Amino acid sequence: DVKVTQSSRYLVKRTGEKVFLECVQDMDHENMFWYRQDPGLGLRLIYFSYDVKMKEKGDIPEGYSVSREKKERFSLILESASTNQTSMYLCASSLLRGAGVNEQFFGPGTRLTVL
Amino acid sequence: SQQGEEDPQALSIQEGENATMNCSYKTSINNLQWYRQNSGRGLVHLILIRSNEREKHSGRLRVTLDTSKKSSSLLITASRAADTASYFCATDNKGDYKLSFGAGTTVTVRA
């Protein structure tokens, strides 16, 4: 079974702090994704990566950056956390691009609170 | 950007009853997927239906797709308490590998 793990289930940070959220997948997937989930808004894509060192902006990239130095690891960085970034963050991975079948496998989520 | 929109937003049913939820989308798709999310957890893939398919079954799940109406439905038959969760549809545009998720339908199954 594919396993996607996230470094923390719950995280509390202060405004202005730099925050790192880590995601690791063990199935050699090319694609990795970071979403945030807020009530009534569903999942919104922040960034995704289709290869090592490659990244593309999603729908709401402002205030975030990402890093993918190794295939299995995709990090989301909040350069200077703000209260409006309080949310549930979900990482996902999927098979190679253009496969035509792109079921995504999700991690358990990190609930981030910024005070 | 959000493409899929689920309806209703919330649904409460008695154990043993069927639950039906709908998803509408705006642009042509390659396939449509349904995911389940238990409270405070990650999403789990349930079923995928391709744009050239009209109906698909998986256990107690039945999914239909009407590309002319740009809509899909998910039916859960003989519901159980364990089916209490949020259900999301997700679509991908042709040639893309990103998914667009709707806001979800929250299903509560009462014992």
Side-chain angles (χ1 to χ4, degrees), chain B residues 41-77:
Chain B
R41 307 296 295 184
L43 278 70
V44 174
H45 182 262
L46 293 176
I47 196 164
L48 179 151
I49 186 165
R50 298 181 189 273
S51 59
N52 61 355
E53 296 176 313
R54 291 296 165 258
E55 189 170 311
K56 203 158 182 182
H57 296 255
S58 176
R60 293 183 297 112
L61 304 180
R62 174 179 166 249
V63 169
T64 63
L65 179 64
D66 187 336
T67 52
S68 67
K69 294 181 179 176
K70 291 188 169 58
S71 69
S72 173
S73 68
L74 171 67
L75 167 68
I76 305 171
T77 60

PDB file of all heavy atoms in Angstrom, chain B residues 41-77:
ATOM      1  N   ARG B  41      -9.101  13.672   9.045  1.00  0.00           N
ATOM      2  CA  ARG B  41      -8.087  12.801   8.444  1.00  0.00           C
ATOM      3  C   ARG B  41      -7.855  13.168   6.981  1.00  0.00           C
ATOM      4  O   ARG B  41      -8.474  14.069   6.438  1.00  0.00           O
ATOM      5  CB  ARG B  41      -8.527  11.343   8.543  1.00  0.00           C
ATOM      6  CG  ARG B  41      -8.911  10.894   9.925  1.00  0.00           C
ATOM      7  CD  ARG B  41      -7.747  10.942  10.881  1.00  0.00           C
ATOM      8  NE  ARG B  41      -6.694  10.000  10.505  1.00  0.00           N
ATOM      9  CZ  ARG B  41      -5.603   9.793  11.230  1.00  0.00           C
ATOM     10  NH1 ARG B  41      -5.429  10.474  12.344  1.00  0.00           N
ATOM     11  NH2 ARG B  41      -4.699   8.930  10.843  1.00  0.00           N
ATOM     12  N   GLY B  42      -6.939  12.452   6.347  1.00  0.00           N
ATOM     13  CA  GLY B  42      -6.693  12.636   4.927  1.00  0.00           C
ATOM     14  C   GLY B  42      -7.778  12.000   4.081  1.00  0.00           C
ATOM     15  O   GLY B  42      -8.643  11.294   4.585  1.00  0.00           O
ATOM     16  N   LEU B  43      -7.750  12.259   2.788  1.00  0.00           N
ATOM     17  CA  LEU B  43      -8.755  11.714   1.880  1.00  0.00           C
ATOM     18  C   LEU B  43      -8.355  10.323   1.411  1.00  0.00           C
ATOM     19  O   LEU B  43      -7.168  10.022   1.239  1.00  0.00           O
ATOM     20  CB  LEU B  43      -8.907  12.626   0.654  1.00  0.00           C
ATOM     21  CG  LEU B  43      -9.811  13.846   0.818  1.00  0.00           C
ATOM     22  CD1 LEU B  43      -9.184  14.875   1.734  1.00  0.00           C
ATOM     23  CD2 LEU B  43     -10.123  14.442  -0.541  1.00  0.00           C
ATOM     24  N   VAL B  44      -9.356   9.507   1.180  1.00  0.00           N
ATOM     25  CA  VAL B  44      -9.138   8.154   0.680  1.00  0.00           C
ATOM     26  C   VAL B  44      -9.894   8.000  -0.631  1.00  0.00           C
ATOM     27  O   VAL B  44     -11.084   8.337  -0.719  1.00  0.00           O
ATOM     28  CB  VAL B  44      -9.635   7.103   1.695  1.00  0.00           C
ATOM     29  CG1 VAL B  44      -9.538   5.703   1.100  1.00  0.00           C
ATOM     30  CG2 VAL B  44      -8.832   7.190   2.987  1.00  0.00           C
ATOM     31  N   HIS B  45      -9.200   7.505  -1.650  1.00  0.00           N
ATOM     32  CA  HIS B  45      -9.818   7.321  -2.957  1.00  0.00           C
ATOM     33  C   HIS B  45     -10.853   6.205  -2.904  1.00  0.00           C
ATOM     34  O   HIS B  45     -10.609   5.130  -2.356  1.00  0.00           O
ATOM     35  CB  HIS B  45      -8.721   6.967  -3.970  1.00  0.00           C
ATOM     36  CG  HIS B  45      -9.222   6.789  -5.349  1.00  0.00           C
ATOM     37  ND1 HIS B  45      -9.488   5.555  -5.893  1.00  0.00           N
ATOM     38  CD2 HIS B  45      -9.512   7.698  -6.320  1.00  0.00           C
ATOM     39  CE1 HIS B  45      -9.919   5.711  -7.129  1.00  0.00           C
ATOM     40  NE2 HIS B  45      -9.942   7.000  -7.411  1.00  0.00           N
ATOM     41  N   LEU B  46     -12.036   6.479  -3.481  1.00  0.00           N
ATOM     42  CA  LEU B  46     -13.098   5.471  -3.501  1.00  0.00           C
ATOM     43  C   LEU B  46     -13.254   4.835  -4.874  1.00  0.00           C
ATOM     44  O   LEU B  46     -13.275   3.608  -5.006  1.00  0.00           O
ATOM     45  CB  LEU B  46     -14.436   6.110  -3.108  1.00  0.00           C
ATOM     46  CG  LEU B  46     -14.574   6.618  -1.676  1.00  0.00           C
ATOM     47  CD1 LEU B  46     -15.909   7.301  -1.483  1.00  0.00           C
ATOM     48  CD2 LEU B  46     -14.386   5.480  -0.681  1.00  0.00           C
ATOM     49  N   ILE B  47     -13.376   5.670  -5.887  1.00  0.00           N
ATOM     50  CA  ILE B  47     -13.726   5.134  -7.197  1.00  0.00           C
ATOM     51  C   ILE B  47     -13.396   6.162  -8.270  1.00  0.00           C
ATOM     52  O   ILE B  47     -13.464   7.373  -8.027  1.00  0.00           O
ATOM     53  CB  ILE B  47     -15.224   4.733  -7.233  1.00  0.00           C
ATOM     54  CG1 ILE B  47     -15.554   3.833  -8.414  1.00  0.00           C
ATOM     55  CG2 ILE B  47     -16.118   5.945  -7.166  1.00  0.00           C
ATOM     56  CD1 ILE B  47     -16.890   3.124  -8.263  1.00  0.00           C
ATOM     57  N   LEU B  48     -13.016   5.693  -9.429  1.00  0.00           N
ATOM     58  CA  LEU B  48     -12.712   6.555 -10.567  1.00  0.00           C
ATOM     59  C   LEU B  48     -13.581   6.116 -11.736  1.00  0.00           C
ATOM     60  O   LEU B  48     -13.721   4.921 -12.002  1.00  0.00           O
ATOM     61  CB  LEU B  48     -11.228   6.420 -10.925  1.00  0.00           C
ATOM     62  CG  LEU B  48     -10.689   7.220 -12.123  1.00  0.00           C
ATOM     63  CD1 LEU B  48      -9.204   7.541 -11.898  1.00  0.00           C
ATOM     64  CD2 LEU B  48     -10.856   6.479 -13.437  1.00  0.00           C
ATOM     65  N   ILE B  49     -14.160   7.070 -12.415  1.00  0.00           N
ATOM     66  CA  ILE B  49     -14.952   6.766 -13.610  1.00  0.00           C
ATOM     67  C   ILE B  49     -14.405   7.601 -14.756  1.00  0.00           C
ATOM     68  O   ILE B  49     -14.173   8.810 -14.621  1.00  0.00           O
ATOM     69  CB  ILE B  49     -16.465   7.010 -13.366  1.00  0.00           C
ATOM     70  CG1 ILE B  49     -17.282   6.540 -14.576  1.00  0.00           C
ATOM     71  CG2 ILE B  49     -16.768   8.450 -12.986  1.00  0.00           C
ATOM     72  CD1 ILE B  49     -18.777   6.403 -14.278  1.00  0.00           C
ATOM     73  N   ARG B  50     -14.149   6.951 -15.870  1.00  0.00           N
ATOM     74  CA  ARG B  50     -13.578   7.649 -17.026  1.00  0.00           C
ATOM     75  C   ARG B  50     -14.677   8.365 -17.800  1.00  0.00           C
ATOM     76  O   ARG B  50     -15.847   8.004 -17.714  1.00  0.00           O
ATOM     77  CB  ARG B  50     -12.848   6.663 -17.924  1.00  0.00           C
ATOM     78  CG  ARG B  50     -11.673   5.971 -17.255  1.00  0.00           C
ATOM     79  CD  ARG B  50     -10.978   5.029 -18.223  1.00  0.00           C
ATOM     80  NE  ARG B  50      -9.988   4.213 -17.551  1.00  0.00           N
ATOM     81  CZ  ARG B  50      -8.734   4.584 -17.349  1.00  0.00           C
ATOM     82  NH1 ARG B  50      -8.333   5.771 -17.746  1.00  0.00           N
ATOM     83  NH2 ARG B  50      -7.895   3.779 -16.749  1.00  0.00           N
ATOM     84  N   SER B  51     -14.282   9.297 -18.614  1.00  0.00           N
ATOM     85  CA  SER B  51     -15.269  10.116 -19.333  1.00  0.00           C
ATOM     86  C   SER B  51     -16.080   9.297 -20.339  1.00  0.00           C
ATOM     87  O   SER B  51     -17.177   9.701 -20.728  1.00  0.00           O
ATOM     88  CB  SER B  51     -14.577  11.277 -20.055  1.00  0.00           C
ATOM     89  OG  SER B  51     -13.614  10.789 -20.961  1.00  0.00           O
ATOM     90  N   ASN B  52     -15.558   8.130 -20.760  1.00  0.00           N
ATOM     91  CA  ASN B  52     -16.314   7.309 -21.714  1.00  0.00           C
ATOM     92  C   ASN B  52     -17.141   6.213 -21.016  1.00  0.00           C
ATOM     93  O   ASN B  52     -17.717   5.346 -21.671  1.00  0.00           O
ATOM     94  CB  ASN B  52     -15.383   6.680 -22.751  1.00  0.00           C
ATOM     95  CG  ASN B  52     -14.350   5.769 -22.122  1.00  0.00           C
ATOM     96  OD1 ASN B  52     -14.268   5.667 -20.889  1.00  0.00           O
ATOM     97  ND2 ASN B  52     -13.559   5.113 -22.940  1.00  0.00           N
ATOM     98  N   GLU B  53     -17.185   6.264 -19.699  1.00  0.00           N
ATOM     99  CA  GLU B  53     -18.003   5.313 -18.940  1.00  0.00           C
ATOM    100  C   GLU B  53     -19.241   6.018 -18.412  1.00  0.00           C
ATOM    101  O   GLU B  53     -19.218   7.228 -18.139  1.00  0.00           O
ATOM    102  CB  GLU B  53     -17.192   4.734 -17.763  1.00  0.00           C
ATOM    103  CG  GLU B  53     -15.994   3.910 -18.224  1.00  0.00           C
ATOM    104  CD  GLU B  53     -15.145   3.433 -17.049  1.00  0.00           C
ATOM    105  OE1 GLU B  53     -14.825   4.248 -16.153  1.00  0.00           O
ATOM    106  OE2 GLU B  53     -14.798   2.233 -17.047  1.00  0.00           O
ATOM    107  N   ARG B  54     -20.303   5.263 -18.213  1.00  0.00           N
ATOM    108  CA  ARG B  54     -21.552   5.863 -17.728  1.00  0.00           C
ATOM    109  C   ARG B  54     -21.876   5.442 -16.303  1.00  0.00           C
ATOM    110  O   ARG B  54     -22.558   6.149 -15.571  1.00  0.00           O
ATOM    111  CB  ARG B  54     -22.703   5.481 -18.648  1.00  0.00           C
ATOM    112  CG  ARG B  54     -22.602   6.124 -20.016  1.00  0.00           C
ATOM    113  CD  ARG B  54     -22.701   7.637 -19.917  1.00  0.00           C
ATOM    114  NE  ARG B  54     -22.268   8.301 -21.139  1.00  0.00           N
ATOM    115  CZ  ARG B  54     -21.077   8.883 -21.271  1.00  0.00           C
ATOM    116  NH1 ARG B  54     -20.205   8.903 -20.277  1.00  0.00           N
ATOM    117  NH2 ARG B  54     -20.754   9.465 -22.411  1.00  0.00           N
ATOM    118  N   GLU B  55     -21.412   4.264 -15.921  1.00  0.00           N
ATOM    119  CA  GLU B  55     -21.728   3.763 -14.586  1.00  0.00           C
ATOM    120  C   GLU B  55     -20.611   2.848 -14.134  1.00  0.00           C
ATOM    121  O   GLU B  55     -19.994   2.136 -14.942  1.00  0.00           O
ATOM    122  CB  GLU B  55     -23.047   2.983 -14.629  1.00  0.00           C
ATOM    123  CG  GLU B  55     -23.602   2.600 -13.294  1.00  0.00           C
ATOM    124  CD  GLU B  55     -25.023   2.059 -13.392  1.00  0.00           C
ATOM    125  OE1 GLU B  55     -25.855   2.707 -14.052  1.00  0.00           O
ATOM    126  OE2 GLU B  55     -25.287   0.989 -12.821  1.00  0.00           O
ATOM    127  N   LYS B  56     -20.382   2.887 -12.804  1.00  0.00           N
ATOM    128  CA  LYS B  56     -19.357   2.011 -12.249  1.00  0.00           C
ATOM    129  C   LYS B  56     -19.768   1.610 -10.837  1.00  0.00           C
ATOM    130  O   LYS B  56     -20.385   2.395 -10.112  1.00  0.00           O
ATOM    131  CB  LYS B  56     -18.015   2.731 -12.225  1.00  0.00           C
ATOM    132  CG  LYS B  56     -16.823   1.806 -12.214  1.00  0.00           C
ATOM    133  CD  LYS B  56     -15.593   2.523 -12.712  1.00  0.00           C
ATOM    134  CE  LYS B  56     -14.421   1.554 -12.731  1.00  0.00           C
ATOM    135  NZ  LYS B  56     -13.185   2.217 -13.163  1.00  0.00           N
ATOM    136  N   HIS B  57     -19.424   0.378 -10.474  1.00  0.00           N
ATOM    137  CA  HIS B  57     -19.782  -0.128  -9.150  1.00  0.00           C
ATOM    138  C   HIS B  57     -18.520  -0.558  -8.420  1.00  0.00           C
ATOM    139  O   HIS B  57     -17.562  -1.045  -9.020  1.00  0.00           O
ATOM    140  CB  HIS B  57     -20.707  -1.345  -9.281  1.00  0.00           C
ATOM    141  CG  HIS B  57     -22.018  -1.044  -9.904  1.00  0.00           C
ATOM    142  ND1 HIS B  57     -23.186  -0.962  -9.185  1.00  0.00           N
ATOM    143  CD2 HIS B  57     -22.359  -0.785 -11.192  1.00  0.00           C
ATOM    144  CE1 HIS B  57     -24.201  -0.685 -10.001  1.00  0.00           C
ATOM    145  NE2 HIS B  57     -23.721  -0.578 -11.212  1.00  0.00           N
ATOM    146  N   SER B  58     -18.559  -0.386  -7.094  1.00  0.00           N
ATOM    147  CA  SER B  58     -17.498  -0.908  -6.254  1.00  0.00           C
ATOM    148  C   SER B  58     -18.122  -1.215  -4.900  1.00  0.00           C
ATOM    149  O   SER B  58     -18.408  -0.311  -4.116  1.00  0.00           O
ATOM    150  CB  SER B  58     -16.357   0.099  -6.111  1.00  0.00           C
ATOM    151  OG  SER B  58     -15.380  -0.388  -5.218  1.00  0.00           O
ATOM    152  N   GLY B  59     -18.371  -2.496  -4.632  1.00  0.00           N
ATOM    153  CA  GLY B  59     -19.024  -2.870  -3.383  1.00  0.00           C
ATOM    154  C   GLY B  59     -20.387  -2.224  -3.252  1.00  0.00           C
ATOM    155  O   GLY B  59     -21.247  -2.367  -4.116  1.00  0.00           O
ATOM    156  N   ARG B  60     -20.588  -1.433  -2.202  1.00  0.00           N
ATOM    157  CA  ARG B  60     -21.869  -0.747  -1.984  1.00  0.00           C
ATOM    158  C   ARG B  60     -21.927   0.621  -2.673  1.00  0.00           C
ATOM    159  O   ARG B  60     -22.875   1.373  -2.478  1.00  0.00           O
ATOM    160  CB  ARG B  60     -22.102  -0.581  -0.479  1.00  0.00           C
ATOM    161  CG  ARG B  60     -22.320  -1.898   0.254  1.00  0.00           C
ATOM    162  CD  ARG B  60     -22.630  -1.683   1.732  1.00  0.00           C
ATOM    163  NE  ARG B  60     -21.523  -1.062   2.443  1.00  0.00           N
ATOM    164  CZ  ARG B  60     -21.527   0.165   2.943  1.00  0.00           C
ATOM    165  NH1 ARG B  60     -22.597   0.933   2.813  1.00  0.00           N
ATOM    166  NH2 ARG B  60     -20.480   0.646   3.590  1.00  0.00           N
ATOM    167  N   LEU B  61     -20.917   0.939  -3.441  1.00  0.00           N
ATOM    168  CA  LEU B  61     -20.873   2.231  -4.122  1.00  0.00           C
ATOM    169  C   LEU B  61     -21.282   2.089  -5.581  1.00  0.00           C
ATOM    170  O   LEU B  61     -20.891   1.129  -6.256  1.00  0.00           O
ATOM    171  CB  LEU B  61     -19.459   2.815  -4.069  1.00  0.00           C
ATOM    172  CG  LEU B  61     -18.823   2.987  -2.702  1.00  0.00           C
ATOM    173  CD1 LEU B  61     -17.422   3.570  -2.862  1.00  0.00           C
ATOM    174  CD2 LEU B  61     -19.658   3.872  -1.808  1.00  0.00           C
ATOM    175  N   ARG B  62     -22.071   3.059  -6.028  1.00  0.00           N
ATOM    176  CA  ARG B  62     -22.433   3.108  -7.445  1.00  0.00           C
ATOM    177  C   ARG B  62     -22.241   4.545  -7.905  1.00  0.00           C
ATOM    178  O   ARG B  62     -22.781   5.473  -7.307  1.00  0.00           O
ATOM    179  CB  ARG B  62     -23.867   2.672  -7.659  1.00  0.00           C
ATOM    180  CG  ARG B  62     -24.361   2.831  -9.092  1.00  0.00           C
ATOM    181  CD  ARG B  62     -25.796   2.357  -9.225  1.00  0.00           C
ATOM    182  NE  ARG B  62     -26.379   2.802 -10.488  1.00  0.00           N
ATOM    183  CZ  ARG B  62     -27.346   3.710 -10.582  1.00  0.00           C
ATOM    184  NH1 ARG B  62     -27.851   4.268  -9.515  1.00  0.00           N
ATOM    185  NH2 ARG B  62     -27.814   4.064 -11.774  1.00  0.00           N
ATOM    186  N   VAL B  63     -21.466   4.713  -8.960  1.00  0.00           N
ATOM    187  CA  VAL B  63     -21.204   6.046  -9.501  1.00  0.00           C
ATOM    188  C   VAL B  63     -21.741   6.115 -10.922  1.00  0.00           C
ATOM    189  O   VAL B  63     -21.580   5.174 -11.696  1.00  0.00           O
ATOM    190  CB  VAL B  63     -19.690   6.352  -9.506  1.00  0.00           C
ATOM    191  CG1 VAL B  63     -19.397   7.604 -10.310  1.00  0.00           C
ATOM    192  CG2 VAL B  63     -19.178   6.510  -8.089  1.00  0.00           C
ATOM    193  N   THR B  64     -22.406   7.207 -11.233  1.00  0.00           N
ATOM    194  CA  THR B  64     -22.840   7.454 -12.606  1.00  0.00           C
ATOM    195  C   THR B  64     -22.188   8.722 -13.107  1.00  0.00           C
ATOM    196  O   THR B  64     -21.817   9.608 -12.326  1.00  0.00           O
ATOM    197  CB  THR B  64     -24.372   7.584 -12.694  1.00  0.00           C
ATOM    198  OG1 THR B  64     -24.778   8.725 -11.930  1.00  0.00           O
ATOM    199  CG2 THR B  64     -25.067   6.333 -12.197  1.00  0.00           C
ATOM    200  N   LEU B  65     -22.051   8.813 -14.400  1.00  0.00           N
ATOM    201  CA  LEU B  65     -21.463   9.994 -15.022  1.00  0.00           C
ATOM    202  C   LEU B  65     -22.276  10.346 -16.261  1.00  0.00           C
ATOM    203  O   LEU B  65     -22.520   9.487 -17.115  1.00  0.00           O
ATOM    204  CB  LEU B  65     -20.002   9.737 -15.413  1.00  0.00           C
ATOM    205  CG  LEU B  65     -19.263  10.878 -16.099  1.00  0.00           C
ATOM    206  CD1 LEU B  65     -19.140  12.077 -15.163  1.00  0.00           C
ATOM    207  CD2 LEU B  65     -17.883  10.425 -16.565  1.00  0.00           C
ATOM    208  N   ASP B  66     -22.701  11.581 -16.341  1.00  0.00           N
ATOM    209  CA  ASP B  66     -23.414  12.092 -17.510  1.00  0.00           C
ATOM    210  C   ASP B  66     -22.624  13.272 -18.044  1.00  0.00           C
ATOM    211  O   ASP B  66     -22.727  14.389 -17.535  1.00  0.00           O
ATOM    212  CB  ASP B  66     -24.833  12.512 -17.117  1.00  0.00           C
ATOM    213  CG  ASP B  66     -25.692  12.906 -18.314  1.00  0.00           C
ATOM    214  OD1 ASP B  66     -25.113  13.298 -19.358  1.00  0.00           O
ATOM    215  OD2 ASP B  66     -26.917  12.832 -18.216  1.00  0.00           O
ATOM    216  N   THR B  67     -21.813  13.019 -19.064  1.00  0.00           N
ATOM    217  CA  THR B  67     -20.944  14.081 -19.576  1.00  0.00           C
ATOM    218  C   THR B  67     -21.740  15.156 -20.316  1.00  0.00           C
ATOM    219  O   THR B  67     -21.283  16.288 -20.402  1.00  0.00           O
ATOM    220  CB  THR B  67     -19.862  13.515 -20.501  1.00  0.00           C
ATOM    221  OG1 THR B  67     -20.487  12.703 -21.504  1.00  0.00           O
ATOM    222  CG2 THR B  67     -18.864  12.671 -19.724  1.00  0.00           C
ATOM    223  N   SER B  68     -22.923  14.809 -20.823  1.00  0.00           N
ATOM    224  CA  SER B  68     -23.726  15.828 -21.516  1.00  0.00           C
ATOM    225  C   SER B  68     -24.258  16.853 -20.521  1.00  0.00           C
ATOM    226  O   SER B  68     -24.426  18.026 -20.854  1.00  0.00           O
ATOM    227  CB  SER B  68     -24.884  15.174 -22.271  1.00  0.00           C
ATOM    228  OG  SER B  68     -25.813  14.610 -21.375  1.00  0.00           O
ATOM    229  N   LYS B  69     -24.507  16.417 -19.298  1.00  0.00           N
ATOM    230  CA  LYS B  69     -24.982  17.335 -18.248  1.00  0.00           C
ATOM    231  C   LYS B  69     -23.845  17.779 -17.343  1.00  0.00           C
ATOM    232  O   LYS B  69     -24.058  18.563 -16.414  1.00  0.00           O
ATOM    233  CB  LYS B  69     -26.062  16.658 -17.406  1.00  0.00           C
ATOM    234  CG  LYS B  69     -27.345  16.349 -18.168  1.00  0.00           C
ATOM    235  CD  LYS B  69     -28.374  15.715 -17.269  1.00  0.00           C
ATOM    236  CE  LYS B  69     -29.660  15.432 -18.037  1.00  0.00           C
ATOM    237  NZ  LYS B  69     -30.668  14.730 -17.210  1.00  0.00           N
ATOM    238  N   LYS B  70     -22.658  17.260 -17.575  1.00  0.00           N
ATOM    239  CA  LYS B  70     -21.501  17.569 -16.738  1.00  0.00           C
ATOM    240  C   LYS B  70     -21.835  17.313 -15.269  1.00  0.00           C
ATOM    241  O   LYS B  70     -21.697  18.205 -14.406  1.00  0.00           O
ATOM    242  CB  LYS B  70     -21.032  19.005 -16.954  1.00  0.00           C
ATOM    243  CG  LYS B  70     -20.412  19.253 -18.328  1.00  0.00           C
ATOM    244  CD  LYS B  70     -19.786  20.638 -18.426  1.00  0.00           C
ATOM    245  CE  LYS B  70     -18.943  20.796 -19.671  1.00  0.00           C
ATOM    246  NZ  LYS B  70     -19.672  20.566 -20.915  1.00  0.00           N
ATOM    247  N   SER B  71     -22.286  16.100 -15.006  1.00  0.00           N
ATOM    248  CA  SER B  71     -22.657  15.772 -13.635  1.00  0.00           C
ATOM    249  C   SER B  71     -22.383  14.307 -13.338  1.00  0.00           C
ATOM    250  O   SER B  71     -22.331  13.461 -14.246  1.00  0.00           O
ATOM    251  CB  SER B  71     -24.122  16.111 -13.381  1.00  0.00           C
ATOM    252  OG  SER B  71     -24.950  15.238 -14.110  1.00  0.00           O
ATOM    253  N   SER B  72     -22.213  14.030 -12.059  1.00  0.00           N
ATOM    254  CA  SER B  72     -21.986  12.674 -11.580  1.00  0.00           C
ATOM    255  C   SER B  72     -22.753  12.493 -10.286  1.00  0.00           C
ATOM    256  O   SER B  72     -23.054  13.464  -9.576  1.00  0.00           O
ATOM    257  CB  SER B  72     -20.486  12.462 -11.328  1.00  0.00           C
ATOM    258  OG  SER B  72     -20.242  11.220 -10.706  1.00  0.00           O
ATOM    259  N   SER B  73     -23.089  11.245  -9.979  1.00  0.00           N
ATOM    260  CA  SER B  73     -23.711  10.968  -8.692  1.00  0.00           C
ATOM    261  C   SER B  73     -23.019   9.791  -8.035  1.00  0.00           C
ATOM    262  O   SER B  73     -22.494   8.903  -8.714  1.00  0.00           O
ATOM    263  CB  SER B  73     -25.205  10.661  -8.864  1.00  0.00           C
ATOM    264  OG  SER B  73     -25.374   9.439  -9.539  1.00  0.00           O
ATOM    265  N   LEU B  74     -22.992   9.836  -6.711  1.00  0.00           N
ATOM    266  CA  LEU B  74     -22.449   8.742  -5.903  1.00  0.00           C
ATOM    267  C   LEU B  74     -23.581   8.221  -5.038  1.00  0.00           C
ATOM    268  O   LEU B  74     -24.192   8.994  -4.292  1.00  0.00           O
ATOM    269  CB  LEU B  74     -21.288   9.225  -5.032  1.00  0.00           C
ATOM    270  CG  LEU B  74     -20.772   8.234  -3.983  1.00  0.00           C
ATOM    271  CD1 LEU B  74     -20.120   7.022  -4.648  1.00  0.00           C
ATOM    272  CD2 LEU B  74     -19.771   8.909  -3.041  1.00  0.00           C
ATOM    273  N   LEU B  75     -23.840   6.938  -5.153  1.00  0.00           N
ATOM    274  CA  LEU B  75     -24.861   6.287  -4.331  1.00  0.00           C
ATOM    275  C   LEU B  75     -24.176   5.300  -3.396  1.00  0.00           C
ATOM    276  O   LEU B  75     -23.381   4.469  -3.833  1.00  0.00           O
ATOM    277  CB  LEU B  75     -25.863   5.541  -5.232  1.00  0.00           C
ATOM    278  CG  LEU B  75     -26.820   4.561  -4.537  1.00  0.00           C
ATOM    279  CD1 LEU B  75     -27.815   5.300  -3.668  1.00  0.00           C
ATOM    280  CD2 LEU B  75     -27.542   3.702  -5.566  1.00  0.00           C
ATOM    281  N   ILE B  76     -24.477   5.425  -2.117  1.00  0.00           N
ATOM    282  CA  ILE B  76     -24.010   4.456  -1.122  1.00  0.00           C
ATOM    283  C   ILE B  76     -25.234   3.676  -0.685  1.00  0.00           C
ATOM    284  O   ILE B  76     -26.191   4.246  -0.143  1.00  0.00           O
ATOM    285  CB  ILE B  76     -23.369   5.144   0.101  1.00  0.00           C
ATOM    286  CG1 ILE B  76     -22.252   6.084  -0.331  1.00  0.00           C
ATOM    287  CG2 ILE B  76     -22.835   4.101   1.076  1.00  0.00           C
ATOM    288  CD1 ILE B  76     -21.714   6.950   0.805  1.00  0.00           C
ATOM    289  N   THR B  77     -25.245   2.384  -0.930  1.00  0.00           N
ATOM    290  CA  THR B  77     -26.414   1.587  -0.558  1.00  0.00           C
ATOM    291  C   THR B  77     -26.228   0.982   0.834  1.00  0.00           C
ATOM    292  O   THR B  77     -25.092   0.783   1.295  1.00  0.00           O
ATOM    293  CB  THR B  77     -26.635   0.447  -1.562  1.00  0.00           C
ATOM    294  OG1 THR B  77     -25.467  -0.382  -1.572  1.00  0.00           O
ATOM    295  CG2 THR B  77     -26.889   0.989  -2.958  1.00  0.00           C
TER     296      THR B  77
END
